[in-house]
Amino acid sequence: MAVIKATNKDIDLLARLIRAEAEGEGDQGMLLVGNTGVNRIRSNCLDFKNIRTMQQMVFQRPGGFEATIKGYFYQGARENEKRLARRVINGQRFHPARNSLWFFDPKGACPKTWYNQPHSGSFKAHCFYQPKQSDCPNVFNTF
């Protein structure tokens, strides 16, 4: 069962985002990016208050995804990425992005905090950061 509302257009949009942000990190890296995006929609806290739709999450300014300003993002979604997008929309969560709201590639070691948010773990080049549970309880809710 979906943990956020998502149309076929939303699945396509998330699929394009996860490919553009993490294709080089394989399926697992793309799933982690997807977790982070779904968490932003679910959270309604910090930088993501009133982000309720896939469109709002993907194109949020400021604070959105860098990939949306590059041409690769605008290529059509492939079936594999759509399948991965459906998995995270349906509630599958993976460490270290299980509760993350942010990730980035620091071109070096991951800082222990990023904008005062604790590091939850790394996968290949990306560092993931989650809010404190007291700041964003919706991110920590189970389905």
Side-chain angles (χ1 to χ4, degrees), residues 4 7 10 15-16 24 33 44 47 56 61 67 77 79 86 89 95 98-99 103 124 126 135 138:
I4 59 168
T7 65
D10 293 328
R16 290 175 24 223
V33 167
N44 199 29
D47 298 335
Q56 290 170 336
R61 296 286 182 266
E79 284 307 312
R86 284 186 199 95
I89 288 168
H95 178 76
R98 178 177 307 278
N99 303 313
F103 65 87
K124 295 190 178 181
H126 285 106
D135 290 337
N138 291 342

Side-chain angles (χ1 to χ4, degrees), residues 28-29 51 62 67 86 96 104 109 121 129 143:
Q28 186 67 24
I51 301 294
R86 284 186 199 95
F104 81 112
Y129 295 84
F143 315 113

Side-chain angles (χ1 to χ4, degrees), residues 113-125:
T113 61
W114 194 49
Y115 295 102
N116 297 318
Q117 305 305 315
H119 179 239
S120 59
S122 306
F123 183 78
K124 295 190 178 181

